[in-house]
Amino acid sequence: MKLVMLGAPGAGKGTQAKMIAAKYGIPHISTGDIFRANIKNGTELGEKAKQYMDQGLLVPDELTLALIMNRFAQDDCANGYVLDGFPRTIAQAEALTASLKEQGDALDYAIDVDVPDENIVERMGGRRACVNCGGTYHVLFNPPQKSGICDLCGGELSIRKDDLPETVKKRLTVYHEQTQPLIDYYNAEGILKTVDGTVDVNEVFAAITEILG
Ligand code: AP5
Ligand code: MG
C-alpha cells in the first residue's frame, strides 16, 4: 500500500501516519523528520535545510527530491509506505508520479486530513516532540503519561523551533500557496480521500481505516 498524507501544518499528518504505519506494517516516511534528524546530526543537508525550515519556508525541490528518492530505494519500502510531508509542491507530486510510473506502479490513496487554520495555531502551541524517536504529543489533546517524557522510548520531549506563532502563520501561508493545490491534483487522479481532522485522534484514525480497509 502506497499512501500520501495531505493536510496543513499541524493537521495531524504525523500522528495519523505513525498509527497507519504500525497497523499496516509499512514504513512512515516524513521528510520533515528526516530533515530534523540531519539538523540534529549536523550534516551538510541539515545545514542547508535549516535555513529554510526555521523561516517556515519550503526546502528547495531538488534537495527534497534527492533525499526522498534515496529513501525509496531502501529495502523496507518494497511493500509500500505512508508519506508524510511529501509531496508538498506540484513539481514534487509530478516527480513522484513519474518515478512510480517508470516501475509500472502508482499511489493507492492521498488522504487529506482537513483542519481549518483557526485550530492550527492552538495545536502547535501545545505540541511536544521526542528529540530521540520523533513521537508526537500535545499537552492537552494527546498528553504523554509522564510530563516531558516520551511514552515510546523514554526520550526528552521538546518544542519544535518552527512552532513559534509567527513561524506557524508563515507555514500556513506557504501551505495555502504551494501545497493545497495538491488536493486538486490528487482529486483529478481519482485517489483523493478527505477525513475530518478536527475530531479526536482515534476518531480520525477510525475514519482512515474505514477507507484503507
Ligand atoms: P513537517 O515536519 O512536515 O511539518 P508540517 O507539514 O508543517 O506538519 P507538522 O509536522 O507541523 O504537523 P502534522 O500534520 O504532522 O501534525 P502532528 O501530527 O504533529 O515539515 C517541517 C518543515 O520541513 C517544512 O516547513 C519545510 O521547511 C520542510 N519540509 C518538509 N517536507 C518538505 C518537502 N516535501 N518539501 C519542502 N520542504 C519540506 O499534530 C500537530 C499537533 O496536534 C500535535 O501536538 C498533536 O498531538 C496534535 N493533534 C494531532 N491530531 C489531533 C487531533 N485529532 N485533535 C487534537 N490534537 C491533535
Ligand atoms: Mg509532522
Side-chain angles (χ1 to χ4, degrees):
M1 183 159 54
K2 295 190 173 69
L3 307 176
V4 162
M5 302 302 289
L6 298 175
K13 301 181 296 293
T15 301
Q16 296 300 326
K18 286 187 185 77
M19 295 164 84
I20 293 168
K23 182 174 165 77
Y24 295 94
I26 49 176
H28 164 213
I29 302 179
S30 157
T31 38
D33 285 353
I34 300 174
F35 286 135
R36 280 185 290 277
N38 274 276
I39 292 172
K40 197 176 149 207
N41 296 332
T43 69
E44 196 182 322
L45 171 72
E47 227 158 82
K48 282 186 192 155
K50 188 178 187 317
Q51 297 165 21
Y52 300 93
M53 290 170 74
D54 283 354
Q55 295 181 66
L57 301 172
L58 295 186
V59 176
D61 283 340
E62 54 276 20
L63 273 185
T64 309
L65 282 167
L67 168 107
I68 198 90
M69 293 306 167
N70 192 20
R71 181 67 187 84
F72 287 154
Q74 292 175 21
D75 290 347
D76 63 338
C77 291
N79 293 325
Y81 39 68
V82 50
L83 299 179
D84 159 20
F86 177 90
R88 236 181 168 94
T89 62
I90 291 288
Q92 290 179 13
E94 286 174 343
L96 175 62
T97 304
S99 135
L100 287 169
K101 212 172 179 181
E102 257 174 40
Q103 301 152 35
D105 207 347
L107 291 169
D108 295 294
Y109 295 108
I111 298 173
D112 179 32
V113 183
D114 188 28
V115 177
D117 288 9
E118 303 86 85
N119 303 37
I120 297 289
V121 180
E122 183 192 16
R123 279 197 186 182
M124 302 305 226
R127 172 162 58 186
R128 299 293 180 270
C130 177
V131 291
N132 188 36
C133 78
T136 303
Y137 303 87
H138 191 282
V139 289
L140 295 178
F141 307 135
N142 188 18
Q145 281 164 11
K146 227 171 140 192
S147 173
I149 306 289
C150 180
D151 290 350
L152 302 171
C153 75
E156 186 192 332
L157 302 184
S158 75
I159 300 175
R160 255 171 58 177
K161 270 218 171 113
D162 58 349
D163 279 350
L164 296 169
E166 280 316 304
T167 317
V168 170
K169 278 185 202 149
K170 180 69 196 170
R171 284 161 63 199
L172 277 169
T173 307
V174 167
Y175 167 76
H176 289 300
E177 284 172 6
Q178 301 193 56
T179 307
Q180 206 174 16
L182 296 185
I183 294 177
D184 287 341
Y185 177 89
Y186 285 118
N187 196 19
E189 300 245 309
I191 59 165
L192 180 75
K193 300 281 176 188
T194 303
V195 296
D196 178 3
T198 63
V199 296
D200 177 80
V201 170
N202 293 313
E203 282 179 61
V204 180
F205 188 56
I208 292 174
T209 52
E210 181 99 341
I211 294 162
L212 302 182

